[in-house]
Amino acid sequence: MESRAVAAYLGLALGDALGATVEFMTPREIAAHYQVHDTIRGGGWLRLKPGQVTDDTTMALALGGAILQTGRVDARAAARAFDGWMRARPVDIGNTVRRGLLHFRTTGIPETASSEHDAGNGAAMRVLPVALATLGQSETQVRAACRAQAHVTHNNALSDAATECLALMVQDALHGADKAQLLQRHVVPLIRQHPEFEFRSAPRSNPSGYVVETLQAVFQAFFATQNIRECLIDVVNRGGDADTTGAIAGMLAGALYGQDALPKAWLNTLDSGISQACEAQARALLLEIGGGSKA
Ligand code: MN
Ligand code: MN
């Protein structure tokens, strides 16, 4: 379980680093540049160094740090950590995240007003530390913890549903669930409740930052491939919000396939400070907070 947790965190970072190169490109542009983009090489619109990650990974690490400090998932601690993260001038930041954090700065309230329009993927992409820290808790508690961190910036029913679904999928994969079980236990119920998330017939190119499109692309790639490398290459070559589809797909595939399945060449290129932080946090969240020592 510990190795799967580490793989989920490293998978998140690998997908982010791989996808960032082609974020906002179309599949045609990606094919023209790279044929198939399958190397962690940096660049992209953010002009990253090879192996550098973006907000998807660094917000998760900020959240995980707050959970470790507080000993639990706490909205105010999360908001403070995100605010500190924003002050440190991250390489990228979503509009909804910025708005939510400015709201926290001015009001001190770690929750934005609910909005029909704030269905971006920013809360879903950073949920992994919550999944690890709440392992062994009831589903109701897990869902509440997901929403507490999410609502700092995104207070929206579709964002909540996606964020909670991903956390429960990660936890189930850590417990050894296979892909068919993850589909039946989590994705099918999500689609039953919110038919927007039906992914089989959805467009396959240019998934946007709308959490529905993001998850559709992630599910298409995750359920159609047999290993993490194939899964991440599939999802990032669709372009669009590729660092975030990559990060989320990498988290799920890491949790499912485990640490030995992570591509060595990618791991060697990943920023070493980031990979060390991901690995250390995964273990600490699982063992110190998440009851992983009992599991
Ligand atoms: Mn990003
Ligand atoms: Mn993104």
Side-chain angles (χ1 to χ4, degrees), residues 16 23 46 54-57 92 125 241 243-244:
D16 184 3
E23 190 184 21
L46 294 169
T54 75
D55 57 348
D56 309 73
T57 306
D92 62 336
M125 75 187 188
D241 197 356
D243 61 328
T244 305

Side-chain angles (χ1 to χ4, degrees), residues 224-269:
T225 54
Q226 305 306 321
N227 60 63
I228 185 165
R229 188 182 140 81
E230 219 185 303
C231 174
L232 290 187
I233 292 172
D234 180 330
V235 84
V236 302
N237 280 276
R238 294 156 188 260
D241 197 356
D243 61 328
T244 305
T245 59
I248 294 174
M251 165 183 84
L252 292 178
L256 177 68
Y257 298 115
Q259 211 173 348
D260 295 341
L262 300 174
K264 298 283 175 292
W266 289 357
L267 283 175
N268 290 337
T269 315

